[in-house]
Amino acid sequence: PQLTATKAGRHLVREKGTYLVLRELHRWEREPDVLAACEKLIQVLIGDEPGPGMENLLEVDVPEEVEQELQRLDREEEERWRREQEEQRQEARGSTPCPEEPSR
């Protein structure tokens, strides 16, 4: 991500075909932090180039409330991913949780 902070860095990373490598990594990677980093980097690579004055993303001021909202969304996404992984592990073991029996 540091390399993609500048316009020249983003251009270089795109030019080298990094997106294709990241796409394949994202298909088989299971570590939440690695997946999150891949997704963020892919968004930078496929997104529109920032407007004037925002060429260096490390120098962009992000309002406090926006930063807090982004952090909250990151936490929610990580929790969703962890729940999905746990469900997949349970299904693979054949031990999906049984629904409770109805009360009589």
Side-chain angles (χ1 to χ4, degrees):
Q2 294 292 322
L3 181 58
T4 58
T6 64
K7 185 175 183 174
R10 289 186 295 276
H11 176 74
L12 177 65
V13 171
R14 285 183 188 116
E15 185 179 83
K16 298 298 179 182
T18 306
Y19 169 77
L20 298 173
V21 174
L22 286 171
R23 186 181 68 193
E24 290 304 312
L25 173 61
H26 190 268
R27 286 184 181 171
W28 60 264
E29 182 58 57
R30 296 293 169 239
E31 189 64 37
D33 293 337
V34 176
L35 278 170
C38 283
E39 290 168 3
K40 289 174 184 175
L41 184 51
I42 287 170
Q43 289 302 316
V44 169
L45 294 176
I46 66 175
D48 293 334
E49 194 61 34
M54 296 179 64
E55 292 87 357
N56 187 336
L57 300 177
L58 294 176
E59 296 175 353
V60 174
D61 288 326
V62 178
E64 179 75 23
E65 60 275 3
V66 172
E67 185 172 345
Q68 289 175 354
E69 178 67 9
L70 292 173
Q71 290 172 354
R72 182 186 67 77
L73 292 170
D74 279 348
R75 287 190 303 270
E76 287 177 4
E77 183 177 336
E78 184 174 329
E79 180 58 33
R80 178 192 53 79
W81 186 88
R82 289 185 195 281
R83 281 193 310 268
E84 289 173 359
Q85 291 301 305
E86 182 59 31
E87 289 171 5
Q88 288 175 1
R89 282 192 291 272
Q90 288 177 354
E91 288 173 5
R93 290 191 305 248
S95 61
T96 56
C98 297
E100 293 184 27
E101 290 187 31
S103 310
R104 293 184 185 197

XYZ file of all heavy atoms in Angstrom:
857
model
N 0.795 -1.210 0.000
C 0.000 0.000 0.000
C 0.834 1.270 0.000
O 0.406 2.265 -0.551
C -0.842 -0.115 1.253
C -0.973 -1.596 1.488
C 0.297 -2.168 0.972
N 2.009 1.251 0.626
C 2.839 2.442 0.630
C 3.250 2.815 -0.792
O 3.283 3.988 -1.135
C 4.081 2.229 1.504
C 3.767 2.055 2.963
C 3.232 3.333 3.582
O 3.680 4.419 3.263
N 2.272 3.193 4.467
N 3.544 1.815 -1.599
C 3.956 2.073 -2.979
C 2.837 2.716 -3.779
O 3.084 3.522 -4.675
C 4.403 0.771 -3.646
C 4.900 0.860 -5.082
C 6.090 1.814 -5.192
C 5.297 -0.504 -5.589
N 1.598 2.405 -3.451
C 0.471 2.945 -4.214
C -0.023 4.273 -3.661
O -1.055 4.779 -4.102
C -0.696 1.936 -4.249
O -1.100 1.641 -2.914
C -0.296 0.667 -4.969
N 0.696 4.849 -2.721
C 0.290 6.130 -2.157
C 0.475 7.271 -3.162
O -0.248 8.258 -3.121
C 1.069 6.429 -0.887
N 1.423 7.134 -4.076
C 1.676 8.194 -5.044
C 1.183 7.785 -6.436
O 1.061 6.592 -6.741
C 3.176 8.517 -5.138
O 3.861 7.367 -5.643
C 3.744 8.911 -3.784
N 0.927 8.777 -7.240
C 0.448 8.525 -8.602
C 1.457 7.680 -9.385
O 1.077 6.718 -10.059
C 0.193 9.853 -9.313
C -0.403 9.708 -10.678
C -0.745 11.063 -11.272
C -1.424 10.898 -12.619
N -1.894 12.190 -13.134
N 2.734 8.010 -9.274
C 3.772 7.258 -9.991
C 3.828 5.807 -9.499
O 3.972 4.876 -10.302
C 5.130 7.932 -9.802
N 3.678 5.615 -8.200
C 3.689 4.261 -7.641
C 2.498 3.449 -8.125
O 2.633 2.275 -8.474
N 1.318 4.061 -8.135
C 0.128 3.359 -8.617
C 0.296 2.966 -10.077
O -0.059 1.856 -10.481
C -1.118 4.225 -8.424
C -1.524 4.367 -6.968
C -2.841 5.094 -6.804
N -2.819 6.492 -7.226
C -2.408 7.504 -6.477
N -1.960 7.291 -5.255
N -2.432 8.741 -6.940
N 0.850 3.862 -10.861
C 1.073 3.572 -12.282
C 2.023 2.378 -12.440
O 1.759 1.463 -13.230
C 1.632 4.800 -12.997
C 1.969 4.554 -14.424
N 1.008 4.422 -15.408
C 3.160 4.384 -15.042
C 1.590 4.180 -16.561
N 2.907 4.155 -16.368
N 3.109 2.376 -11.680
C 4.087 1.290 -11.759
C 3.455 -0.048 -11.368
O 3.638 -1.058 -12.054
C 5.282 1.586 -10.850
C 6.350 0.505 -10.775
C 7.036 0.335 -12.128
C 7.369 0.850 -9.699
N 2.698 -0.060 -10.275
C 2.085 -1.298 -9.796
C 1.077 -1.814 -10.829
O 1.021 -3.011 -11.113
C 1.428 -1.080 -8.416
C 0.595 -2.272 -8.002
C 2.502 -0.795 -7.370
N 0.290 -0.930 -11.420
C -0.663 -1.349 -12.453
C 0.073 -1.899 -13.674
O -0.311 -2.923 -14.239
C -1.524 -0.165 -12.883
C -2.580 0.223 -11.888
C -3.442 1.375 -12.426
N -4.322 1.877 -11.403
C -4.268 3.109 -10.914
N -3.384 3.987 -11.380
N -5.104 3.482 -9.968
N 1.130 -1.202 -14.063
C 1.901 -1.568 -15.261
C 2.517 -2.964 -15.151
O 2.651 -3.684 -16.140
C 3.008 -0.523 -15.472
C 3.808 -0.681 -16.718
C 4.839 0.441 -16.811
O 5.912 0.308 -16.187
O 4.555 1.434 -17.501
N 2.855 -3.383 -13.942
C 3.510 -4.679 -13.729
C 2.521 -5.837 -13.621
O 2.914 -6.976 -13.405
C 4.393 -4.639 -12.471
C 5.521 -3.648 -12.553
C 6.467 -3.999 -13.670
C 7.598 -2.998 -13.768
N 8.498 -3.291 -14.861
N 1.223 -5.561 -13.745
C 0.230 -6.628 -13.714
C -0.065 -7.145 -12.316
O -0.514 -8.277 -12.135
N 0.160 -6.319 -11.326
C -0.033 -6.730 -9.940
C -1.470 -7.138 -9.653
O -1.721 -8.031 -8.837
C 0.405 -5.596 -8.989
O 1.747 -5.238 -9.326
C 0.331 -6.007 -7.543
N -2.412 -6.518 -10.317
C -3.823 -6.838 -10.073
C -4.084 -8.328 -10.278
O -4.781 -8.957 -9.493
C -4.731 -5.996 -10.964
C -6.158 -6.483 -10.941
C -6.979 -6.201 -9.855
C -6.671 -7.257 -11.969
C -8.277 -6.670 -9.797
C -7.970 -7.732 -11.923
C -8.772 -7.429 -10.837
O -10.046 -7.904 -10.790
N -3.523 -8.897 -11.344
C -3.751 -10.323 -11.623
C -3.219 -11.220 -10.508
O -3.853 -12.202 -10.127
C -3.120 -10.702 -12.959
C -3.682 -9.976 -14.185
C -2.872 -10.315 -15.430
C -5.141 -10.311 -14.376
N -2.065 -10.861 -9.979
C -1.472 -11.635 -8.886
C -2.339 -11.511 -7.635
O -2.640 -12.506 -6.970
C -0.030 -11.166 -8.598
C 0.539 -11.869 -7.377
C 0.853 -11.381 -9.815
N -2.775 -10.299 -7.338
C -3.619 -10.083 -6.161
C -4.954 -10.813 -6.287
O -5.467 -11.352 -5.310
C -3.881 -8.594 -5.960
C -2.710 -7.787 -5.424
C -3.022 -6.311 -5.488
C -2.376 -8.211 -4.011
N -5.500 -10.826 -7.473
C -6.771 -11.518 -7.689
C -6.627 -13.009 -7.380
O -7.476 -13.603 -6.725
C -7.240 -11.303 -9.126
C -8.624 -11.873 -9.395
C -9.037 -11.656 -10.808
N -8.183 -12.471 -11.666
C -8.109 -12.350 -12.983
N -8.810 -11.440 -13.600
N -7.333 -13.134 -13.688
N -5.538 -13.603 -7.832
C -5.306 -15.022 -7.556
C -5.035 -15.264 -6.079
O -5.538 -16.223 -5.503
C -4.148 -15.552 -8.408
C -4.472 -15.647 -9.878
C -5.696 -16.502 -10.160
O -5.787 -17.634 -9.623
O -6.585 -16.043 -10.903
N -4.254 -14.405 -5.460
C -3.991 -14.527 -4.027
C -5.299 -14.463 -3.249
O -5.534 -15.248 -2.331
C -3.050 -13.414 -3.556
C -2.810 -13.314 -2.046
C -2.182 -14.590 -1.508
C -1.948 -12.107 -1.738
N -6.169 -13.558 -3.633
C -7.442 -13.387 -2.934
C -8.315 -14.635 -3.045
O -9.109 -14.914 -2.154
C -8.172 -12.162 -3.490
C -9.360 -11.770 -2.695
N -10.616 -12.227 -2.982
C -9.468 -10.978 -1.605
C -11.460 -11.724 -2.108
N -10.796 -10.966 -1.261
N -8.170 -15.408 -4.095
C -8.986 -16.611 -4.279
C -8.660 -17.707 -3.278
O -9.535 -18.461 -2.885
C -8.814 -17.168 -5.692
C -9.514 -16.358 -6.725
C -9.388 -16.988 -8.077
N -10.073 -16.152 -9.052
C -10.008 -16.327 -10.336
N -9.288 -17.313 -10.840
N -10.650 -15.528 -11.156
N -7.399 -17.828 -2.885
C -7.037 -18.941 -2.002
C -6.628 -18.519 -0.596
O -6.545 -19.349 0.296
C -5.957 -19.822 -2.618
C -4.672 -19.130 -2.933
C -4.299 -18.612 -4.127
C -3.576 -18.865 -2.041
N -3.056 -18.043 -4.032
C -2.582 -18.194 -2.757
C -3.357 -19.145 -0.697
C -1.388 -17.784 -2.185
C -2.156 -18.738 -0.119
C -1.195 -18.067 -0.878
N -6.380 -17.256 -0.369
C -5.944 -16.787 0.951
C -7.076 -16.915 1.966
O -8.227 -16.672 1.666
C -5.495 -15.325 0.862
C -4.991 -14.758 2.172
C -3.833 -15.530 2.757
O -2.801 -15.686 2.078
O -3.957 -15.986 3.907
N -6.753 -17.307 3.191
C -7.749 -17.484 4.244
C -7.516 -16.569 5.443
O -8.363 -16.468 6.308
C -7.768 -18.948 4.722
C -8.198 -19.896 3.649
C -9.659 -19.665 3.293
N -10.021 -20.391 2.093
C -10.485 -19.827 0.987
N -10.647 -18.531 0.911
N -10.793 -20.545 -0.067
N -6.387 -15.924 5.511
C -6.071 -15.058 6.644
C -6.809 -13.718 6.490
O -6.626 -13.025 5.497
C -4.561 -14.826 6.697
C -4.084 -14.137 7.939
C -4.323 -14.967 9.177
O -4.195 -16.207 9.122
O -4.654 -14.363 10.212
N -7.645 -13.347 7.460
C -8.464 -12.135 7.326
C -7.666 -10.866 7.060
O -8.065 -10.041 6.235
C -9.196 -12.037 8.661
C -9.070 -13.351 9.301
C -7.889 -14.042 8.713
N -6.545 -10.699 7.740
C -5.762 -9.484 7.549
C -5.170 -9.398 6.145
O -5.119 -8.326 5.544
C -4.645 -9.392 8.592
C -5.185 -9.194 10.000
O -6.334 -8.708 10.135
O -4.466 -9.524 10.952
N -4.739 -10.540 5.624
C -4.171 -10.570 4.276
C -5.270 -10.306 3.244
O -5.080 -9.541 2.305
C -3.452 -11.909 3.994
C -2.950 -11.971 2.563
C -2.305 -12.111 4.966
N -6.421 -10.923 3.442
C -7.550 -10.697 2.534
C -7.963 -9.224 2.526
O -8.214 -8.651 1.472
C -8.748 -11.559 2.938
C -8.725 -12.987 2.450
C -9.839 -13.789 3.110
C -8.840 -13.053 0.946
N -8.039 -8.632 3.703
C -8.421 -7.223 3.798
C -7.408 -6.338 3.071
O -7.785 -5.415 2.337
C -8.552 -6.804 5.257
N -6.133 -6.623 3.249
C -5.095 -5.832 2.572
C -5.197 -5.998 1.053
O -5.075 -5.018 0.313
C -3.710 -6.248 3.065
N -5.436 -7.223 0.594
C -5.603 -7.469 -0.845
C -6.778 -6.675 -1.392
O -6.674 -6.037 -2.441
C -5.849 -8.952 -1.127
S -4.403 -9.984 -1.058
N -7.897 -6.723 -0.683
C -9.096 -6.029 -1.150
C -8.881 -4.530 -1.237
O -9.282 -3.887 -2.206
C -10.271 -6.355 -0.233
C -10.730 -7.792 -0.382
C -11.685 -8.241 0.705
O -12.054 -7.417 1.574
O -12.065 -9.430 0.686
N -8.210 -3.973 -0.235
C -7.953 -2.533 -0.241
C -7.016 -2.144 -1.377
O -7.236 -1.144 -2.064
C -7.395 -2.094 1.102
C -8.440 -2.148 2.198
C -7.856 -1.847 3.552
C -8.922 -2.022 4.619
N -8.407 -1.857 5.959
N -5.990 -2.948 -1.584
C -5.051 -2.657 -2.657
C -5.720 -2.810 -4.022
O -5.511 -1.991 -4.924
C -3.820 -3.555 -2.559
C -2.697 -3.302 -3.560
C -2.288 -1.835 -3.600
C -1.510 -4.179 -3.240
N -6.547 -3.812 -4.171
C -7.279 -3.990 -5.430
C -8.164 -2.781 -5.691
O -8.231 -2.281 -6.822
C -8.096 -5.302 -5.405
C -7.152 -6.500 -5.538
C -9.143 -5.321 -6.519
C -7.813 -7.849 -5.276
N -8.824 -2.278 -4.654
C -9.673 -1.094 -4.832
C -8.861 0.111 -5.310
O -9.319 0.877 -6.152
C -10.406 -0.761 -3.525
C -11.495 -1.741 -3.178
C -12.550 -1.841 -4.270
O -13.002 -0.849 -4.813
N -12.923 -3.069 -4.606
N -7.655 0.265 -4.776
C -6.795 1.366 -5.214
C -6.406 1.177 -6.678
O -6.427 2.120 -7.469
C -5.534 1.473 -4.327
C -4.505 2.425 -4.933
C -5.916 1.922 -2.922
N -6.091 -0.062 -7.061
C -5.625 -0.322 -8.424
C -6.738 -0.201 -9.455
O -6.490 0.240 -10.577
C -4.985 -1.711 -8.506
C -3.707 -1.889 -7.705
C -3.221 -3.326 -7.797
C -2.628 -0.924 -8.168
N -7.946 -0.596 -9.108
C -9.019 -0.550 -10.104
C -9.836 0.735 -10.025
O -10.635 1.015 -10.902
C -9.953 -1.776 -10.011
C -10.722 -1.790 -8.697
C -9.181 -3.064 -10.229
C -11.752 -2.900 -8.597
N -9.609 1.511 -8.969
C -10.370 2.747 -8.792
C -9.872 3.855 -9.696
O -8.812 3.782 -10.313
N -10.682 4.904 -9.778
C -10.289 6.096 -10.530
C -9.136 6.785 -9.819
O -9.019 6.720 -8.597
C -11.469 7.068 -10.644
C -12.595 6.516 -11.492
O -12.324 5.667 -12.364
O -13.751 6.929 -11.283
N -8.317 7.446 -10.595
C -7.190 8.183 -10.037
C -7.736 9.382 -9.251
O -8.651 10.062 -9.703
C -6.280 8.647 -11.180
C -4.933 9.130 -10.756
C -4.084 8.083 -10.034
O -4.158 6.880 -10.346
O -3.335 8.490 -9.140
N -7.203 9.627 -8.041
C -7.677 10.765 -7.235
C -7.505 12.097 -7.970
O -6.623 12.231 -8.821
C -6.788 10.719 -5.993
C -6.259 9.335 -5.941
C -6.181 8.867 -7.367
N -8.330 13.046 -7.611
C -8.308 14.361 -8.250
C -7.094 15.186 -7.875
O -6.255 14.772 -7.074
N -7.005 16.379 -8.437
C -5.884 17.284 -8.158
C -5.751 17.567 -6.666
O -6.742 17.714 -5.949
C -6.264 18.562 -8.912
C -7.261 18.129 -9.937
C -7.972 16.946 -9.364
N -4.523 17.591 -6.192
C -4.248 17.831 -4.795
C -4.300 16.568 -3.949
O -4.007 16.611 -2.758
N -4.672 15.451 -4.561
C -4.767 14.199 -3.808
C -3.890 13.119 -4.437
O -4.109 11.939 -4.213
C -6.223 13.731 -3.756
C -7.126 14.692 -3.008
S -8.844 14.181 -2.948
C -8.747 12.687 -2.006
N -2.915 13.522 -5.222
C -2.055 12.564 -5.906
C -1.283 11.690 -4.924
O -1.026 10.530 -5.186
C -1.073 13.277 -6.849
C -1.730 13.930 -8.037
C -2.217 15.354 -7.759
O -2.091 15.824 -6.610
O -2.730 15.984 -8.696
N -0.885 12.269 -3.778
C -0.188 11.503 -2.744
C -1.193 11.215 -1.630
O -1.529 12.090 -0.839
C 1.014 12.266 -2.204
C 1.836 11.426 -1.251
O 1.345 10.472 -0.646
N 3.104 11.770 -1.099
N -1.648 9.984 -1.553
C -2.692 9.617 -0.595
C -2.229 9.700 0.852
O -3.058 9.797 1.763
C -3.208 8.215 -0.913
C -3.824 8.044 -2.296
C -4.239 6.601 -2.517
C -4.996 8.991 -2.491
N -0.912 9.671 1.085
C -0.404 9.780 2.453
C -0.539 11.202 2.998
O -0.469 11.419 4.204
C 1.059 9.339 2.525
C 1.324 7.862 2.227
C 2.810 7.582 2.236
C 0.591 6.976 3.220
N -0.746 12.161 2.104
C -0.835 13.555 2.523
C -2.268 14.072 2.574
O -2.500 15.240 2.840
C -0.003 14.427 1.572
C 1.477 14.100 1.630
C 2.299 14.858 0.605
O 1.695 15.548 -0.259
O 3.528 14.761 0.652
N -3.237 13.203 2.334
C -4.636 13.612 2.338
C -5.149 13.611 3.773
O -4.960 12.645 4.513
C -5.489 12.645 1.475
C -6.958 12.982 1.582
C -5.028 12.706 0.029
N -5.773 14.716 4.170
C -6.366 14.797 5.500
C -7.736 14.132 5.475
O -8.596 14.482 4.670
C -6.516 16.257 5.940
C -5.183 16.899 6.267
O -4.299 16.192 6.777
O -5.035 18.115 6.007
N -7.909 13.162 6.366
C -9.183 12.460 6.485
C -9.861 12.964 7.754
O -9.277 12.879 8.839
C -8.974 10.928 6.563
C -10.298 10.208 6.739
C -8.236 10.429 5.336
N -11.085 13.493 7.626
C -11.782 13.963 8.832
C -11.941 12.842 9.852
O -12.126 11.681 9.496
C -13.147 14.409 8.298
C -12.937 14.665 6.840
C -11.855 13.713 6.413
N -11.875 13.209 11.124
C -11.944 12.245 12.226
C -13.166 11.343 12.135
O -13.065 10.130 12.286
C -11.945 12.992 13.568
C -12.025 12.092 14.781
C -10.723 11.379 15.079
O -9.659 11.864 14.666
O -10.779 10.325 15.734
N -14.335 11.924 11.846
C -15.557 11.112 11.802
C -15.530 10.122 10.636
O -16.036 9.006 10.751
C -16.822 11.979 11.743
C -16.934 12.892 10.552
C -16.224 14.242 10.699
O -15.568 14.489 11.725
O -16.330 15.040 9.766
N -14.909 10.495 9.538
C -14.792 9.583 8.394
C -13.841 8.447 8.746
O -14.116 7.280 8.463
C -14.326 10.337 7.125
C -14.025 9.370 5.999
C -15.371 11.360 6.699
N -12.738 8.781 9.383
C -11.779 7.746 9.785
C -12.422 6.762 10.761
O -12.251 5.547 10.641
C -10.549 8.378 10.420
C -9.471 7.378 10.748
C -8.179 8.033 11.210
O -8.004 9.242 11.020
O -7.343 7.297 11.762
N -13.187 7.255 11.719
C -13.859 6.379 12.676
C -14.878 5.481 11.979
O -14.997 4.298 12.302
C -14.541 7.202 13.764
C -13.565 7.844 14.719
C -14.237 8.757 15.723
O -15.438 9.005 15.653
N -13.460 9.274 16.665
N -15.610 6.033 11.022
C -16.597 5.235 10.288
C -15.908 4.145 9.472
O -16.365 3.004 9.434
C -17.429 6.141 9.370
C -18.447 5.416 8.534
C -19.581 4.784 9.338
O -19.696 5.038 10.551
O -20.355 4.029 8.739
N -14.796 4.464 8.847
C -14.046 3.465 8.074
C -13.511 2.362 8.982
O -13.546 1.183 8.619
C -12.908 4.135 7.300
C -13.341 5.052 6.166
C -12.133 5.795 5.600
C -14.062 4.290 5.076
N -13.034 2.723 10.145
C -12.550 1.718 11.095
C -13.688 0.822 11.560
O -13.519 -0.392 11.695
C -11.871 2.397 12.287
C -10.548 3.032 11.932
C -9.966 3.854 13.062
O -10.588 4.058 14.104
N -8.742 4.341 12.868
N -14.857 1.411 11.800
C -16.023 0.625 12.204
C -16.407 -0.363 11.107
O -16.670 -1.538 11.366
C -17.206 1.543 12.518
C -18.457 0.801 13.008
C -19.649 1.720 13.166
N -20.123 2.244 11.902
C -20.853 1.565 11.015
N -21.186 0.319 11.248
N -21.251 2.119 9.893
N -16.417 0.105 9.865
C -16.750 -0.771 8.742
C -15.732 -1.898 8.601
O -16.101 -3.035 8.301
C -16.851 0.044 7.448
C -18.032 1.005 7.378
C -17.888 1.927 6.168
C -19.350 0.265 7.354
N -14.462 -1.584 8.818
C -13.418 -2.619 8.773
C -13.668 -3.687 9.836
O -13.553 -4.883 9.569
C -12.029 -2.014 8.981
C -11.454 -1.393 7.731
O -12.006 -1.612 6.639
O -10.437 -0.673 7.857
N -14.016 -3.257 11.049
C -14.280 -4.218 12.124
C -15.490 -5.095 11.790
O -15.464 -6.309 12.000
C -14.507 -3.495 13.449
C -13.242 -2.917 14.064
C -13.482 -2.418 15.478
N -14.530 -1.415 15.571
C -14.347 -0.102 15.460
N -13.129 0.372 15.255
N -15.357 0.735 15.574
N -16.543 -4.484 11.253
C -17.738 -5.244 10.887
C -17.428 -6.257 9.787
O -17.882 -7.394 9.829
C -18.852 -4.313 10.430
C -19.489 -3.538 11.540
C -20.539 -2.566 11.043
O -20.839 -2.539 9.828
O -21.076 -1.821 11.885
N -16.642 -5.843 8.813
C -16.279 -6.744 7.723
C -15.443 -7.910 8.232
O -15.652 -9.063 7.838
C -15.515 -5.977 6.647
C -15.168 -6.801 5.446
C -14.475 -5.987 4.378
O -14.644 -4.756 4.321
O -13.750 -6.594 3.576
N -14.514 -7.636 9.118
C -13.683 -8.704 9.671
C -14.534 -9.679 10.479
O -14.357 -10.900 10.378
C -12.576 -8.125 10.546
C -11.630 -9.182 11.056
C -10.453 -8.596 11.812
O -10.025 -7.481 11.495
O -9.964 -9.292 12.723
N -15.477 -9.167 11.260
C -16.352 -10.041 12.051
C -17.219 -10.898 11.131
O -17.399 -12.086 11.383
C -17.231 -9.204 12.985
C -18.157 -10.039 13.843
C -17.433 -11.044 14.721
O -16.310 -10.764 15.174
O -17.999 -12.129 14.951
N -17.751 -10.326 10.071
C -18.551 -11.084 9.101
C -17.715 -12.191 8.483
O -18.142 -13.338 8.364
C -19.083 -10.162 7.998
C -19.875 -10.886 6.920
C -20.147 -10.013 5.701
N -18.960 -9.402 5.129
C -18.088 -10.032 4.334
N -18.256 -11.295 4.021
N -17.050 -9.389 3.834
N -16.477 -11.870 8.128
C -15.594 -12.855 7.506
C -15.315 -13.998 8.485
O -15.354 -15.165 8.110
C -14.287 -12.188 7.072
C -13.420 -13.110 6.299
C -13.436 -13.327 4.958
C -12.412 -13.987 6.829
N -12.489 -14.272 4.625
C -11.857 -14.690 5.751
C -11.938 -14.221 8.112
C -10.839 -15.620 5.919
C -10.926 -15.152 8.274
C -10.398 -15.837 7.180
N -15.062 -13.647 9.736
C -14.785 -14.684 10.742
C -15.994 -15.600 10.948
O -15.843 -16.811 11.083
C -14.370 -14.048 12.062
C -12.990 -13.427 12.027
C -12.587 -12.908 13.404
N -11.451 -12.026 13.327
C -10.191 -12.410 13.200
N -9.906 -13.681 13.118
N -9.209 -11.532 13.137
N -17.198 -15.041 10.968
C -18.401 -15.867 11.103
C -18.551 -16.800 9.910
O -18.874 -17.975 10.070
C -19.651 -14.981 11.218
C -19.870 -14.393 12.589
C -21.257 -13.788 12.738
N -21.616 -12.876 11.662
C -21.427 -11.568 11.665
N -20.884 -10.991 12.706
N -21.786 -10.826 10.642
N -18.312 -16.279 8.711
C -18.415 -17.117 7.511
C -17.401 -18.255 7.542
O -17.724 -19.381 7.179
C -18.220 -16.270 6.249
C -19.372 -15.344 5.950
C -19.082 -14.407 4.788
O -17.967 -14.469 4.210
O -19.963 -13.595 4.473
N -16.189 -17.953 7.975
C -15.153 -18.985 8.058
C -15.537 -20.055 9.066
O -15.348 -21.242 8.826
C -13.796 -18.366 8.417
C -13.211 -17.529 7.319
C -13.001 -18.338 6.059
O -12.347 -19.368 6.074
N -13.559 -17.882 4.956
N -16.074 -19.658 10.205
C -16.496 -20.619 11.221
C -17.627 -21.494 10.687
O -17.626 -22.713 10.900
C -16.936 -19.897 12.496
C -17.348 -20.836 13.604
C -16.250 -21.793 14.025
O -15.057 -21.431 13.944
O -16.580 -22.920 14.438
N -18.580 -20.903 9.979
C -19.673 -21.684 9.390
C -19.133 -22.694 8.381
O -19.572 -23.846 8.350
C -20.682 -20.761 8.727
C -21.502 -19.953 9.707
C -22.346 -18.879 9.035
O -22.376 -18.815 7.775
O -22.977 -18.089 9.760
N -18.167 -22.282 7.575
C -17.578 -23.188 6.584
C -16.836 -24.328 7.274
O -16.914 -25.482 6.836
C -16.640 -22.423 5.654
C -17.366 -21.520 4.698
C -16.413 -20.676 3.858
O -15.194 -20.785 3.970
N -16.977 -19.833 3.021
N -16.131 -24.032 8.366
C -15.429 -25.092 9.101
C -16.419 -26.084 9.688
O -16.199 -27.288 9.644
C -14.543 -24.496 10.197
C -13.243 -23.917 9.686
C -12.296 -23.607 10.842
N -12.762 -22.511 11.658
C -12.502 -21.229 11.434
N -11.777 -20.885 10.396
N -12.959 -20.296 12.237
N -17.517 -25.582 10.227
C -18.530 -26.467 10.807
C -19.159 -27.344 9.730
O -19.375 -28.529 9.939
C -19.601 -25.656 11.530
C -19.114 -25.055 12.816
C -20.158 -24.188 13.493
O -21.226 -23.939 12.947
N -19.845 -23.724 14.684
N -19.458 -26.769 8.576
C -20.046 -27.538 7.481
C -19.071 -28.601 6.986
O -19.469 -29.724 6.686
C -20.456 -26.619 6.345
C -21.667 -25.771 6.660
C -21.960 -24.743 5.581
O -21.267 -24.750 4.533
O -22.883 -23.936 5.784
N -17.790 -28.263 6.923
C -16.778 -29.209 6.459
C -16.643 -30.388 7.424
O -16.385 -31.516 7.007
C -15.432 -28.505 6.296
N -16.851 -30.130 8.711
C -16.781 -31.195 9.714
C -18.098 -31.937 9.830
O -18.191 -32.925 10.527
C -16.408 -30.615 11.072
C -14.978 -30.125 11.168
C -14.625 -29.810 12.611
N -15.552 -28.857 13.199
C -15.254 -27.614 13.547
N -14.038 -27.162 13.354
N -16.148 -26.824 14.090
N -19.138 -31.433 9.171
C -20.444 -32.069 9.253
C -21.119 -31.840 10.579
O -21.963 -32.608 11.000
N -20.726 -30.766 11.234
C -21.308 -30.503 12.550
C -22.003 -29.152 12.571
O -21.714 -28.317 13.401
C -20.225 -30.550 13.624
O -19.246 -29.557 13.365
N -22.901 -28.962 11.628
C -23.645 -27.710 11.643
C -24.534 -27.691 12.874
O -25.055 -28.717 13.285
C -24.495 -27.542 10.365
O -25.342 -28.684 10.241
C -23.635 -27.381 9.140
N -24.689 -26.535 13.477
C -25.508 -26.459 14.686
C -26.939 -26.902 14.404
O -27.512 -26.572 13.376
C -25.470 -24.972 15.058
C -24.403 -24.359 14.230
C -24.146 -25.263 13.083
N -27.509 -27.672 15.318
C -28.884 -28.147 15.174
C -29.835 -27.066 15.657
O -29.576 -26.428 16.671
C -29.118 -29.406 16.004
S -28.125 -30.788 15.470
N -30.931 -26.887 14.963
C -31.909 -25.925 15.461
C -32.519 -26.471 16.748
O -32.613 -27.681 16.932
C -32.940 -25.820 14.339
C -32.722 -27.026 13.493
C -31.312 -27.476 13.698
N -32.916 -25.566 17.595
C -33.529 -26.003 18.849
C -34.848 -26.686 18.566
O -35.565 -26.332 17.634
C -33.743 -24.795 19.762
C -32.459 -24.180 20.252
C -32.724 -23.046 21.227
O -33.781 -23.061 21.888
O -31.877 -22.160 21.304
N -35.157 -27.674 19.422
C -36.431 -28.356 19.265
C -37.548 -27.424 19.693
O -37.380 -26.650 20.640
C -36.451 -29.621 20.127
C -35.530 -30.691 19.609
C -35.700 -31.980 20.389
O -36.826 -32.243 20.858
O -34.711 -32.687 20.537
N -38.680 -27.486 19.014
C -39.793 -26.622 19.396
C -40.299 -26.976 20.788
O -40.263 -28.126 21.201
C -40.863 -26.870 18.331
C -40.426 -28.099 17.595
C -38.984 -28.319 17.883
N -40.766 -25.983 21.504
C -41.324 -26.191 22.839
C -42.669 -26.871 22.727
O -43.420 -26.652 21.805
C -41.519 -24.851 23.556
O -40.364 -24.106 23.491
N -42.964 -27.705 23.698
C -44.255 -28.397 23.681
C -45.135 -27.863 24.765
O -44.893 -27.409 25.732
C -44.083 -29.892 23.848
C -43.394 -30.444 22.643
C -43.318 -31.916 22.777
N -42.552 -32.399 21.647
C -42.548 -33.627 21.276
N -43.246 -34.513 21.908
N -41.845 -34.015 20.257
